[in-house]
Amino acid sequence: MLVLFLNLAVAFAKIIYGTLSGALSMTADGYHSLFDGVSNIVGLIGSFIAARPPDKEHPYGHHKYETVASIFISLLLLYVGFEIFRNAFDRFLVRSVPEVTAISFLIILGTMCINYLVTHYEYRQGLSLKSQVLIADSLHTKSDIYVSLSVIVSLAAVRLGFPLLDPVIALLISLIIFRAGFRIMKESSKVLLDMSRLEEEEICRLALGVEGVLGCHKIRTRGGMGDIRIDMHVLVQPDMPLEEAHLIAHRVSKMLKAEYEDVTDVVVHLEPALPQGSNTKKTS
């Protein structure tokens, strides 16, 4: 809630003063910060739902709700970037000179300090809690710092008699927002599309270190931060008792979970080790 309050305070300070002074770059930066508040709310909701344990309707858990929330954040980012781009383009058609005072610089510098503290806090919490939403939101808030730097340049240029740089900087801000939106969408799509998350060869190498494992193949991984799942086929001696083979599968699962802290589930399918070439794509 503290992060949400700070983001909203920063946003309204820039929007109100930017609108009153006519500084398009400051107003654009303010709406960018306002979106931080919206994304905080979306992130809180997504994290709350994702923390629920598995149930009958969701046997694999609710982690992807957090991923959906991240996608929603990226879409809002793209929309805000488009609106800022459109307003900046309109300024080229209708020229006006914004009013720049010492208060303008104080507001931007103050909000930069707040954004710096918020970014580091959110990122550390995201890593600690394995929260994809918090990390995505921290990356977005981090972009605010660079945006604010560009606004300072814009205000200085206006003060020196170059008002055209104000819409130019606003255009650059829109591109930064677009970039942040695409980065978040790209990372989130890896989870939704079940893209491979870990190296198959490394997993097999680790599995071969377990006594009794003669080979492995058909290794698949999917999931996201804090919830990566592995399923694989492990080859054992054909005449091995079922109880002993089951213990080997358990050891492989336990070892992989210990090696990869984000792995939450490992499904091991046992196969008898047949003569060389009989097992499809055997790795040994």
Side-chain angles (χ1 to χ4, degrees), residues 109-171:
L109 290 173
T111 57
M112 282 178 64
C113 293
I114 293 175
N115 283 333
Y116 178 80
L117 296 175
V118 169
T119 296
H120 280 266
Y121 173 76
E122 262 196 314
Y123 189 74
R124 287 198 304 269
Q125 288 294 106
L127 291 179
S128 175
L129 301 174
K130 306 294 182 184
S131 172
Q132 189 176 1
V133 168
L134 284 178
I135 292 177
D137 196 40
S138 71
L139 292 175
H140 172 231
T141 306
K142 184 178 181 180
S143 69
D144 257 0
I145 298 175
Y146 301 113
V147 169
S148 297
L149 281 174
S150 66
V151 172
I152 290 178
V153 173
S154 172
L155 295 177
V158 172
R159 193 74 179 267
L160 294 173
F162 301 98
L164 191 62
L165 276 181
D166 185 45
V168 170
I169 294 297
L171 287 175

Side-chain angles (χ1 to χ4, degrees), residues 26-73:
M26 180 182 284
T27 305
D29 189 19
Y31 281 110
H32 186 206
S33 298
L34 179 62
F35 174 74
D36 277 342
V38 176
S39 64
N40 289 151
I41 296 173
V42 174
L44 287 172
I45 296 174
S47 298
F48 175 76
I49 298 176
R52 294 178 179 176
D55 53 36
K56 185 177 181 180
E57 288 76 23
H58 306 85
Y60 291 100
H62 299 77
H63 297 278
K64 284 190 177 181
Y65 279 95
E66 193 173 39
T67 306
V68 172
S70 296
I71 291 287
F72 184 70
I73 289 175

Side-chain angles (χ1 to χ4, degrees), residues 2 4 33 50-51 55 100 103 184 212 216 237 264 274 283:
L2 176 62
L4 173 60
S33 298
D55 53 36
V100 178
I103 299 178
I184 295 173
C216 50
Q237 287 288 355
T264 57
L274 302 177
T283 305

